[in-house]
Amino acid sequence: MLVRTAMRLACAATLLVGPWLAGPSYSQTLTMRDALARAVAASPRLTAAERDIGIATGQRIQAGTLLNPDLSYEQDDSFGTGKYRGTKSAETTLQISQIFEWFGKRDARIAAGQAGVEVAAIQRTAVRLEVLSETAIAFLNVLGTQRRIQILDEQVAAIDKLTPLLQRRVEAGASSPAETGRAEVASALVKADRERVRATLASARRELAVLLGDTTPKFASVSGRLDAAGRPPTFQSVVAAIDANPQLVRWTAVYAQRNAELLIARLKPYPDVQLSAGWRHFNETNDDAVRLTLSVPIPVFDQNQGNVLSAQENLAKASAERQANRNTLIVVAGRAYDSLQGSLRELGILRDTAIPKAQQAADAIAEGYGQGRFTLLEVLDAQANLTQARLREQEALQNFHIAIATIEGLIGNPFSLARESAR
């Protein structure tokens, strides 16, 4: 279920997916879906996780192999003195020996190996979710920064639109020539802010490109929507869903693996039987005979007590490790959830009051300026207030969707939201 839903991470919950683009993999405009698919295909962390599955599979195969037999050759009563000179009186024995494991030792090794494979497979799913979440967040950073530049561009255009009117007012003697310089300074300051944001965009684009497997961006821009939001479910439901996170699910397999390792440690002192069968030839009489040997080690001194204790502690440690892992995930989810809630409250204030009022004030002052009822400083101040309100809205939306992507990376499913129409 986690594997099937992981590719829908952030897409379904945040309405960020633009139109499907026909064409090559490296399209000029990158969508969220394209970014997620390319990140999964290019991630070296996923490749390493897949190799871990192969390593664990090899260990599982090795755990199930039988012990190899021993082939030995013995020669007695030779190269001595008297009648034992040379090999005339030698006794030669060709023997094969095999150790037989009892008490389910091989089964315990197989169980530990199989649990190791399951741990590696679940860990790969966890890495996949992390890659998807990181890619979604990187995509959102690029998308949000693009929008900030667009807002600043609109502010520059709005200031520049005042230039013809300002020149007419100066020519008519209604305004001081110094106001032309004031407008130029205001425009230059906004352009300086825009250049700073462009530097941030360059870094964000590079970070996204690296996640996609490229050293430099091979896309012109990203496309998606940041204007849609919704009401999240309760934090308790998020916490309940976290238990399905692969990082926590894998502890079930880890517990089984450590339990099998404890069983292996407990079974080690139980002796294995070694059976040997050989053919002995007596040179002196030219007779032959069969030789049979049965040997069993006596576990008097080493009963593997230290390894048993170590395995017991390692097994008991698993429960505490899982709880610590769960606590960490809850803290991360809590931060994201609080950010989400704060962003929603901020959006409510901005959309209900700040932006409409700033827009009305900017329009009224701009119209009044043409009639000589307001100064240029008031016009610029109104435009700056509107721009700041829109930038705050964009930042809140970006934080909202980043929080969604973070939570989806923890619960392994698209985050359920009560939809609202995009405003």
Side-chain angles (χ1 to χ4, degrees):
M1 177 64 180
L2 293 175
V3 175
R4 291 197 305 269
T5 60
M7 280 303 299
R8 296 178 357 222
L9 177 68
C11 300
T14 60
L15 297 177
L16 292 171
V17 180
W20 281 74
L21 297 176
S25 177
Y26 296 137
S27 56
Q28 288 296 309
T29 302
L30 183 69
T31 65
M32 173 72 84
R33 188 181 299 276
D34 293 334
L36 294 178
R38 286 171 55 181
V40 168
S43 174
R45 293 169 55 195
L46 267 176
T47 301
E50 289 167 356
R51 299 291 79 78
D52 285 339
I53 296 176
I55 292 170
T57 301
Q59 293 172 344
R60 156 64 183 84
I61 293 173
Q62 188 61 37
T65 58
L66 297 173
L67 299 177
N68 290 325
D70 293 331
L71 181 65
S72 61
Y73 171 81
E74 297 179 7
Q75 181 171 302
D76 301 325
D77 300 337
S78 59
F79 305 108
T81 60
K83 72 173 186 175
Y84 299 109
R85 185 182 301 276
T87 60
K88 182 178 180 179
S89 300
E91 297 179 3
T92 57
T93 305
L94 183 63
Q95 178 175 279
I96 186 169
S97 304
Q98 176 67 54
I99 295 178
F100 294 92
E101 292 183 298
W102 288 13
F103 310 106
K105 292 182 179 180
R106 178 169 173 267
D107 292 338
R109 288 200 309 272
I110 293 174
Q114 183 60 40
V117 174
E118 294 174 3
V119 170
I122 297 173
Q123 183 61 31
R124 183 196 178 281
T125 304
V127 171
R128 181 186 177 89
L129 281 177
E130 291 173 1
V131 169
L132 290 169
S133 181
E134 291 172 3
T135 304
I137 291 172
F139 184 95
L140 290 166
N141 285 332
V142 174
L143 184 61
T145 309
Q146 285 181 176
R147 176 56 181 156
R148 291 181 67 84
I149 292 175
Q150 181 182 353
I151 293 173
L152 293 173
D153 284 340
E154 292 170 357
Q155 185 181 9
V156 171
I159 295 175
D160 292 344
K161 283 176 62 177
L162 293 173
T163 302
L165 177 60
L166 183 58
Q167 290 175 344
R168 289 196 299 269
R169 287 174 59 88
V170 171
E171 292 172 356
S175 297
S176 168
E179 289 194 348
T180 303
R182 177 174 291 175
E184 292 175 351
V185 169
S187 178
L189 288 176
V190 177
K191 290 176 181 177
D193 288 340
R194 184 178 60 187
E195 293 306 314
R196 182 173 55 187
V197 177
R198 282 177 175 171
T200 302
L201 176 60
S203 297
R205 282 166 51 83
R206 187 177 298 108
E207 291 175 8
L208 178 58
V210 170
L211 289 173
L212 303 184
D214 303 320
T215 55
T216 57
K218 295 185 178 180
F219 54 89
S221 62
V222 301
S223 65
R225 295 178 57 191
L226 282 176
D227 58 344
R231 295 184 302 275
T234 63
F235 182 64
Q236 287 72 20
S237 63
V238 174
V239 173
I242 282 179
D243 288 327
N245 186 294
Q247 293 187 40
L248 296 182
V249 174
R250 74 182 181 92
W251 285 106
T252 301
V254 170
Y255 188 86
Q257 183 182 30
R258 294 183 181 180
N259 201 31
E261 291 170 351
L262 174 59
L263 180 59
I264 292 172
R266 285 175 171 169
L267 291 176
K268 186 175 180 181
Y270 291 89
D272 298 321
V273 175
Q274 182 174 21
L275 294 178
S276 303
W279 187 262
R280 173 167 289 183
H281 180 72
F282 299 88
N283 284 354
E284 188 174 10
T285 61
N286 201 31
D287 292 326
D288 297 310
V290 173
R291 184 188 186 196
L292 298 176
T293 304
L294 172 66
S295 63
V296 178
I298 303 175
V300 175
F301 302 109
D302 181 11
Q303 295 189 358
N304 209 37
Q305 301 98 322
N307 287 333
V308 170
L309 177 60
S310 177
Q312 288 174 334
E313 292 300 316
N314 204 28
L315 178 61
K317 181 183 174 184
S319 177
E321 288 178 321
R322 182 191 182 280
Q323 186 59 44
N325 195 176
R326 186 174 186 271
N327 290 344
T328 300
L329 295 179
I330 291 175
V331 169
V332 174
R335 290 173 181 168
Y337 193 86
D338 292 339
S339 175
L340 182 153
Q341 292 281 38
S343 297
L344 284 178
R345 292 192 294 268
E346 184 178 2
L347 283 170
I349 296 173
L350 290 170
R351 288 176 166 179
D352 294 341
T353 305
I355 294 177
K357 296 296 183 182
Q359 186 67 63
Q360 292 174 7
D363 293 342
I365 292 175
E367 181 180 355
Y369 178 72
Q371 301 170 358
R373 293 188 292 110
F374 295 100
T375 66
L376 176 63
L377 183 60
E378 290 174 308
V379 174
L380 296 177
D381 185 60
Q383 290 181 350
N385 287 338
L386 177 59
T387 298
Q388 289 302 313
R390 294 173 64 193
L391 289 173
R392 286 284 299 272
E393 180 193 29
Q394 179 277 325
E395 182 180 4
L397 283 168
Q398 183 176 336
N399 291 338
F400 172 83
H401 291 298
I402 287 176
I404 292 292
T406 300
I407 293 174
E408 287 181 345
L410 297 177
I411 66 177
N413 287 291
F415 197 40
S416 176
L417 292 175
R419 300 293 183 190
E420 291 181 356
S421 299
R423 302 187 188 183

